[in-house]
Amino acid sequence: MPIMELAKRWLSEDKDPRTRQQIKELVATNDTTKLESLLRQPIKFGTSGLRARMEAGYSRLNQLTVITASQGLAAYVECNIADAQTHGVVVGHDHRHGSKKFALLTARAFLDRGFKVYFYPAIGPTPLVPFAVKRLGAACGVMVTASHNPKDDNGYKVYWTNGAQIKPPLDEGIAQSIRENSTPVNWNTLGIESDRNVVDVTDSMTAAYFDAAKTLVSDPQLNSTVSSSAEFGYVYTPMHGVGAQFAARMLETFGLSPYIPVPEQLQPDPDFPTVSFPNPEEKGALDMAKAVAEHEGVGLVVANDPDADRFAAAERQADGSWLVFTGDQLGTIFAASVLEDCRRKGIRDSKIAMVNSTVSSRMLETIAHKEGFHYADTLTGFKWMANELAELSTQGGYHAALGYEEAIGYMIGDQVLDKDGITALGFFVQLAARLHAEGLRVSDYLETQYARYGFFVSANSYFISPDPLKTDRIFARIRYGDENAGDGIQRISIMRPDSKGANEVLKYPRTIGGFPVCYIRDLTIGFEMSDVDKKCASKKQLAIAKGECEPRFLVSSASQMITLETRNGGRLTMRTSGTEPKLKYYLEVRNSDNDRSVAARDLDTMSRAVADELVQASKNGL
């Protein structure tokens, strides 16, 4: 369809004056390039739901695309969940521009199909939606949020009937249903909150959420005594998001003293005026909080991202410097503390389950092997981790204790089958208060884990790679080599039964920074092999039979993901981002003797090899 015909179609369907005007102006100026970018490719529905910039067009997030997504989702749920209308849908939203309107339009689409709608009319944190889905036995849930994305973005996050995010093949079925219901029907949001089929669950579900968190409170009297002492204090920032009042109530639930706020960042503000990116992971994001802490004479900073599903922390050390804990360090701290909590409750180690994502630290696996609890790793994202823990609980009788990812996401317990920054906040401050009573810092507690399980150090970063074809070529070179490159990289040679010629013989690097590669997993083409260096040592080319070396994780040619492990305890995962023009890498080195200098040296060597040998960043202009 010619682009001007597509624009005409949009204008015939869109009833939002702002987005209509945007397309009208582009048509008037004959800006076909911009029109193509906005209209040609429909926004893709995936396991994360929808996330995009808010502006006109089928490829963006706006009232029209929210309506069609909701129509398709409602139709799919109706067909696939028994008595779906009676079970209902939970709908919530954050404070971003447009979020309340998008939530109301979502509710409208479900009401039109006869669903009961459990609604949060006021802004709130993401964890309250999956909590309510599970607690109420709803058919599904929708949270309108873009988490820590820039202010011009928004998103549409979908939870299935178990309270966890959707995973394949549900996303494909929902996407097809959206395509089959792509004509927007009802734009009317008047009277929704007073509709007889809409139930305001704010008070009941919020109270139940905090009541469920009480199971994680170890000693409320000690918490109160220690945290109220003059020597213990902490600063909190919600990063201009929705977390402040919920964080305060969670701390009260744990019996902890109130936080010291960062005044400029306390109130919800969709423009995030004091930060470049409202993400606690970003360098400098906690600077204002640290400044307040130094002014107040306290040594601890805690933070949530804008929708309060992530958690971050920093601690002042004895020399006055600040340690901003990485996501993996916090994951290790939570794992050790959660294990102690489970043992206090009499839960057998063999029935405790903890999981993390495959790009997160292997330290959790090491702890599990030594302590005897069940461990599993999953693909990236809480859609995998939460569902894994839910299945371990319902089918294996395990206690779902912890799930975490390196991107500062933590699920403690199973009251919320998603990352939950509010609960993580209460649990962390409780630990910090206890350690303070013992004359220790949280960093001391982390050092105890390193001494027991070995030292793990990581370097997670990314290259900006706006050209998808160039990114694909980089991964193809890692996978198949390049006879004309002249890079001097020694490579293995593996012939698979489906190889169509020399160009499809696998030729992964034999080493990274001089360290032998011993394990390879490629989830783009479907290949996994252990002891690679030993199996390929004496063979010019290794042939594998059909059915051999198939990975246990889901394979998808739609994205790039390669993991390489080395004999020095190194592990590298490289992948493309599903939402940003980034080539991400996650690099970790373990030293079982807790030798920091050796681990740091190896990490530096491997980091340079990633940039220079594998990605060839300078040559590729990245």
Side-chain angles (χ1 to χ4, degrees):
M1 181 185 293
I3 190 58
M4 288 302 177
E5 287 297 312
L6 202 55
K8 184 178 179 181
R9 177 182 139 192
W10 171 272
L11 291 171
S12 71
E13 295 177 339
D14 188 14
K15 294 185 180 181
D16 181 354
R18 289 173 297 179
T19 46
R20 282 180 57 83
Q21 185 61 30
Q22 184 182 359
I23 297 300
K24 281 183 177 180
E25 290 175 359
L26 293 172
V27 170
T29 58
N30 199 35
D31 191 341
T32 57
T33 300
K34 181 66 173 178
L35 286 169
E36 285 283 355
S37 71
L38 295 177
L39 297 170
R40 181 64 65 186
Q41 296 296 329
I43 185 171
K44 185 178 179 181
F45 185 93
T47 52
S48 298
L50 303 172
R51 189 172 295 188
R53 185 180 176 90
M54 290 182 286
E55 55 183 336
Y58 298 113
S59 66
R60 302 296 194 262
L61 205 72
N62 47 63
Q63 293 185 28
L64 189 150
T65 54
V66 166
I67 291 172
T68 56
S70 301
Q71 290 172 174
L73 176 61
Y76 184 83
V77 172
E78 181 181 0
C79 291
N80 288 274
I81 299 292
D83 300 318
Q85 285 94 338
T86 302
H87 287 293
V89 59
V90 178
V91 180
H93 63 93
D94 68 6
H95 67 306
R96 286 176 179 262
H97 294 295
S99 286
K100 177 66 178 282
K101 184 71 171 182
F102 293 159
L104 289 169
L105 289 169
T106 301
R108 170 57 67 199
F110 277 89
L111 287 170
D112 287 351
R113 295 194 80 94
F115 278 76
K116 177 183 287 187
V117 176
Y118 298 108
F119 195 59
Y120 289 103
I123 61 175
T126 290
L128 281 178
V129 169
F131 175 83
V133 172
K134 183 180 179 185
R135 179 60 64 98
L136 295 167
C140 72
V142 175
M143 177 66 187
V144 179
T145 180
S147 191
H148 56 265
N149 273 38
K151 66 183 181 69
D152 293 324
D153 291 358
N154 216 326
Y156 184 99
K157 194 173 184 181
V158 178
Y159 297 90
W160 202 235
T161 187
N162 66 343
Q165 292 181 61
I166 58 169
K167 64 177 185 176
L170 290 174
D171 59 325
E172 298 167 4
I174 295 169
Q176 178 60 33
S177 184
I178 292 171
R179 289 190 289 271
E180 294 168 356
N181 293 271
S182 60
T183 300
V185 176
N186 195 341
W187 296 70
N188 182 23
T189 58
L190 294 176
I192 285 179
E193 293 179 48
S194 59
D195 190 287
R196 62 186 178 88
N197 284 325
V198 174
V199 180
D200 181 346
V201 294
T202 304
D203 292 342
S204 61
M205 287 298 100
T206 302
Y209 168 76
F210 288 108
D211 190 58
K214 291 178 181 177
T215 61
L216 299 173
V217 180
S218 58
D219 189 336
Q221 185 171 353
L222 176 65
N223 289 349
S224 177
T225 302
V226 175
S227 66
S228 60
S229 69
E231 294 80 18
F232 182 81
Y234 54 100
V235 169
Y236 168 74
T237 174
M239 303 291 290
H240 298 294
V242 301
Q245 63 171 309
F246 299 94
R249 186 166 173 180
M250 183 60 76
L251 295 164
E252 182 181 349
T253 298
F254 273 77
L256 296 160
S257 62
Y259 58 71
I260 300 168
V262 179
E264 299 89 342
Q265 298 177 336
L266 189 63
Q267 298 304 317
D269 189 331
D271 292 318
F272 311 109
T274 69
V275 291
S276 300
F277 296 98
N279 182 356
E281 285 185 288
E282 292 289 333
K283 187 176 181 180
L286 299 180
D287 284 354
M288 290 186 72
K290 288 188 286 186
V292 172
E294 290 178 354
H295 180 265
E296 296 290 337
V298 299
L300 188 65
V301 162
V302 289
N304 290 128
D305 68 341
D307 69 326
D309 65 348
R310 286 176 169 84
F311 170 77
E315 184 182 54
R316 190 160 53 183
Q317 303 304 290
D319 63 0
S321 65
W322 283 91
L323 170 62
V324 179
F325 295 104
T326 68
D328 281 320
Q329 288 173 332
L330 287 172
T332 297
I333 290 164
F334 281 128
S337 186
V338 165
L339 182 59
E340 293 171 357
D341 183 63
C342 289
R343 286 172 171 171
R344 278 195 299 269
K345 294 171 180 173
I347 302 171
R348 287 184 293 130
D349 290 351
S350 62
K351 301 308 293 182
I352 298 168
M354 300 192 200
V355 306
N356 66 358
S357 68
T358 190
V359 299
S360 300
S361 175
R362 296 303 89 189
M363 190 167 181
L364 182 59
E365 181 180 25
T366 300
I367 298 172
H369 286 166
K370 187 157 187 174
E371 302 297 339
F373 62 82
H374 180 84
Y375 165 80
D377 67 336
T378 72
L379 287 172
T380 307
F382 269 85
K383 56 182 171 284
W384 300 106
M385 285 180 280
N387 278 292
E388 177 75 16
L389 283 169
E391 289 173 12
L392 286 169
S393 177
T394 57
Q395 298 176 17
Y398 286 95
H399 172 72
L402 175 70
Y404 95 84
E405 63 182 1
E406 47 72 41
I408 60 172
Y410 310 96
M411 172 184 153
I412 302 174
D414 64 352
Q415 62 268 22
V416 175
L417 289 178
D418 197 6
K419 53 187 175 288
D420 178 358
I422 301 294
T423 299
L425 168 73
F427 197 82
F428 181 87
V429 176
Q430 172 179 255
L431 172 64
R434 190 197 86 198
L435 292 170
H436 178 79
E438 298 170 5
L440 299 171
R441 290 182 171 86
V442 178
S443 58
D444 297 323
Y445 187 75
L446 178 62
E447 289 296 329
T448 301
Q449 314 316 316
Y450 288 145
R452 182 169 176 80
Y453 307 110
F455 184 65
F456 291 72
V457 60
S458 61
N460 302 332
S461 192
Y462 58 84
F463 299 95
I464 298 294
S465 185
D467 182 354
L469 294 178
K470 180 181 286 187
T471 303
D472 287 343
R473 286 196 297 271
I474 291 170
F475 277 93
R477 179 179 161 276
I478 295 170
R479 186 177 292 121
Y480 300 115
D482 184 351
E483 298 296 336
N484 302 316
D487 53 22
I489 295 177
Q490 292 186 330
R491 295 179 179 274
I492 61 173
S493 182
I494 300 176
M495 175 71 77
R496 297 196 301 166
D498 58 350
S499 297
K500 297 181 176 64
N503 290 337
E504 292 193 7
V505 174
L506 300 178
K507 294 183 178 179
Y508 299 98
R510 284 186 180 272
T511 64
I512 301 175
F515 301 110
V517 173
C518 58
Y519 168 85
I520 299 170
R521 183 181 64 206
D522 191 330
L523 295 179
T524 302
I525 64 167
F527 175 79
E528 185 171 22
M529 180 183 282
S530 300
D531 294 323
V532 176
D533 51 341
K534 296 178 181 179
K535 293 173 181 175
C536 296
S538 59
K539 295 184 179 181
K540 185 176 180 180
Q541 186 173 87
L542 178 66
I544 58 176
K546 187 175 180 62
E548 281 189 297
C549 303
E550 294 183 354
R552 63 185 178 91
F553 286 157
L554 182 71
V555 174
S556 174
S557 60
S559 60
Q560 300 281 0
M561 188 170 184
I562 297 175
T563 297
L564 306 170
E565 293 183 5
T566 54
R567 286 291 174 193
N568 65 319
R571 180 185 176 95
L572 168 69
T573 295
M574 301 175 62
R575 71 179 182 95
T576 48
S577 170
T579 57
E580 301 168 294
K582 293 179 178 179
L583 191 166
K584 296 184 174 183
Y585 71 88
Y586 309 81
L587 178 61
E588 181 178 59
V589 173
R590 176 199 179 194
N591 187 283
S592 56
D593 298 324
N594 198 15
D595 191 324
R596 311 294 177 87
S597 61
V598 171
R601 181 197 66 199
D602 288 1
L603 185 75
D604 180 65
T605 299
M606 293 183 71
S607 294
R608 284 187 278 109
V610 170
D612 299 338
E613 298 174 15
L614 301 184
V615 177
Q616 293 186 313
S618 296
K619 180 180 178 180
N620 286 302
L622 305 183

